[in-house]
Amino acid sequence: MSAKDIRNIVLLGHGGSGKTTLAESMLFMTGGTDRFGKVTDGNTTCDYDAEEIKRNISISLAVAPVKYKNVKINVLDTPGNFDFAGEVLSGIRAAECAVLVCGAKDGLSVGAERAWKMLGNKPRMIFINRTDEENSDYNACFDALKGKFGTAVAPIVAPIIDGSKKVTGIVDLLHNKAYEVKGGKAAECAIPADIADEVETLRAELMEAAAGADEELMEKFFESMELSAADMAKGLKIGVRDGSVCPVLCGSAVTGMGVDMLMKTIVELVPVATDMPAEKAQDESGNEVEVAFDPNGPTAAIVFKTISDQYGKFSMIKVVRGKVTGDMSLYNPATGNTEKLGRLYSMKGKKGEEIKEICCGDIGAIGKMDRVKTGNTLCDAKNVVILEGIEYPAPCYERAIAPKVKQEVEKMGTGLNKLNEEDPTFHVSNNAETHQTVISGTGDIQIDVLCAKLKSRFGVETELSAPRVAYREKIRSKVEKRGRYKKQTGGSGQFGDVVITFEPQNEQEDMIFEEAVFGGSVPKNYFPAVEKGLRKCCLTGVLAGYPVVFLKATLTDGSYHPVDSSDIAFQLAAGLAFKEALPEAKPVLMEPIGELKVTVPDSFVGDVMGDLNKRRGRVMGMNPTGDGETVLEAEVPMAEMMSYAIDLRSMTQSRGTFVFSFVRYEDCPAAAQEKAIAEAKAMAEAE
């Protein structure tokens, strides 16, 4: 098989629009499966994970190769839930064209809007699904799509609609043929007289769109005001490739209406890999280079997805140049390792069929590549290139995670590392300060799924909680205190005596230690011990046990015993002075402040600003983007941001996005301070 016989498409859209059912319909209609699986029954090809079956939603990217008229269509089914946007980006990276699946009842969904934006300049088409259901309205859905995405949206079918607004058949505008569904099968029929004029109008508009994509076709069209089906297909293919045309089709994934038309359109209009522009890459020295889709060039492939489960580990690849065979050794620039390949597979959901090679432009899998990660390039060692990886969204939702059985901490860590191979969009960190393991991802559903997988695959039950905020403590006044440590234990004793002045400073966060001892009251060799004792005390403040910062400690006086004094005695004496002084030095909590940049549609700006005020946020700026959105810049206490990812979705109908990063510490207001101290005491008692 060559690149010209392969089409790679990714199904995008809102959850519930029917992407998985559409993939299943394409498989069933082409003989790829012997039964039509249903999401609700948990027996579809693409939704095979236990959590997908349990929740009736797609969680991971899945591949379903479809054979249609001697052409292999690699269908990449992606989740519609926004928590799994990383899977969508992986699918977009591997495909040449996207099919946005929209529900005829839903109109313009948020998922379609976000998918359109994520695609950038990638070719796309739209399939309006579920047109045969109650309350469906093809025309309203199409008008909403055209109103949002502009004139590029071009119907290549005209629906045959009955009195209840249900679509009962379609007219292929390209070939000027009509089909109606009878007994679950499409049968050719005459174009209904009541839509004949509309069909002619739409066909003329489609000709214009096709002609506008190519100068030669434009001249031909102006001469005769007519184009053949072949000419229209040629022009539309160019238009799809350069983004000036977005074909719109319709039908029903459940009944199969319009699905054959969709596959035919994919074969006719979707550009093959070798017709696409060269990919941007880097050479070994970091210089920018271009990698053209060349079947005869040195091998280069991108790993766009890793499947790591009970069936083994598979690295899903898209071959950009050359071909991949099982006997090859390919270089991984990210690790510097040369990988000896083994078995190659063509994946259909969870099932892998062993194959001999993966040709240029095709998608396949390599088994047992333990050192290879998603986003890595595999290439010829003599012609090293680094293909563009996948830029995943930054995690924006955090939970503290802990095993229910404390002895399973290590087991939990191993499980999370394994799951991270499969899903690189979540991060795990161990906060030494709060003594918590924190898992950060894109939303609560993603985190819940990860916990469920830890239990089912690795036998570790976990508990989630809000992460502790890493507060700081400081003092606001100057205090001098004596610390005297004396202990007699029979023979030798312990003695240390210090007088220390504590005061606030703004030079550095770390404690500044100085000495101003006169007359040798404390020998110099004990100064380091005093400093060590103070630094140890700074780790645990007197208000709520948080580190003390911006402190200056000056050793001014003291005394010693020529026999009983020791380093440890002076460390303990310094600690006593610290604990005496700080409660009298007007201690105050400092809270971490973060910089927030939230992008929202203009219509939601007021709601978001009101919410930020409730979170004690300070709006620093508003920057319109020019496409109906505004970027709000604000500074917000981190304690107020724990549930912001979920709250923002609720406020903006999932249209808002944000990034948040720590900038500095500030004094905590009295009310917030009391709350933080109470929470710290409660946690200490619980432990």
Side-chain angles (χ1 to χ4, degrees), residues 28-243:
F28 182 69
M29 288 179 69
T30 56
T33 55
D34 53 9
R35 65 172 181 179
F36 191 100
K38 295 181 179 178
V39 172
T40 50
D41 293 344
N43 59 359
T44 62
T45 300
C46 293
D47 285 357
Y48 57 85
D49 186 90
E51 286 301 307
E52 292 179 313
I53 295 167
K54 176 185 166 185
R55 297 166 187 264
N56 284 340
I57 62 168
S58 297
I59 289 171
S60 300
L61 170 70
V63 183
V66 172
K67 286 287 184 72
Y68 182 80
K69 296 184 178 178
N70 296 319
V71 173
K72 181 184 181 186
I73 304 173
N74 285 313
V75 180
L76 299 160
D77 180 33
T78 65
N81 189 289
F82 302 130
D83 279 21
F84 306 104
E87 302 292 318
V88 175
L89 291 167
S90 291
I92 291 172
R93 180 65 181 90
E96 277 79 55
C97 181
V99 176
L100 272 69
V101 184
C102 302
K105 291 192 288 190
D106 308 323
L108 180 62
S109 64
V110 182
E113 286 184 45
R114 291 186 62 164
W116 186 281
K117 190 179 286 186
M118 290 167 82
L119 284 167
N121 299 320
K122 183 94 56 179
R124 67 206 67 187
M125 58 177 67
I126 296 171
F127 184 78
I128 299 176
N129 190 26
R130 306 174 71 174
T131 55
D132 59 336
E133 296 181 10
E134 293 289 338
N135 302 316
S136 64
D137 192 337
Y138 168 87
N139 289 323
C141 183
F142 177 79
D143 290 343
L145 290 165
K146 192 154 189 172
K148 181 68 179 178
F149 303 133
T151 55
V153 174
I156 61 169
V157 298
I160 302 170
I161 302 173
D162 66 11
S164 62
K165 295 185 179 180
K166 290 184 184 178
V167 175
T168 59
I170 56 173
V171 179
D172 177 354
L173 297 174
L174 197 61
H175 303 94
N176 208 26
K177 292 180 179 179
Y179 302 90
E180 61 181 352
V181 177
K182 288 184 177 179
K185 292 185 178 180
E188 194 171 340
C189 64
I191 297 173
D194 60 331
I195 63 167
D197 291 343
E198 184 188 353
V199 168
E200 282 303 310
T201 303
L202 289 172
R203 199 158 183 273
E205 289 175 358
L206 194 64
M207 278 186 200
E208 286 184 32
D214 184 76
E215 287 186 14
E216 189 181 320
L217 289 174
M218 181 67 82
E219 290 177 11
K220 196 172 184 179
F221 179 67
F222 279 140
E223 285 175 9
S224 61
M225 301 306 290
E226 188 72 30
L227 289 177
S228 67
D231 285 339
M232 286 171 70
K234 179 185 174 184
L236 290 171
K237 189 171 184 176
I238 295 169
V240 170
R241 187 182 65 194
D242 64 24

Side-chain angles (χ1 to χ4, degrees), residues 116 264 292 380 407 434 436 505 526 580 647 677:
W116 186 281
K264 184 162 68 175
D380 190 322
Q407 291 78 6
T434 62
Q436 287 183 313
Q505 52 86 10
Y526 292 126
E580 283 278 322
D647 297 340
I677 292 172

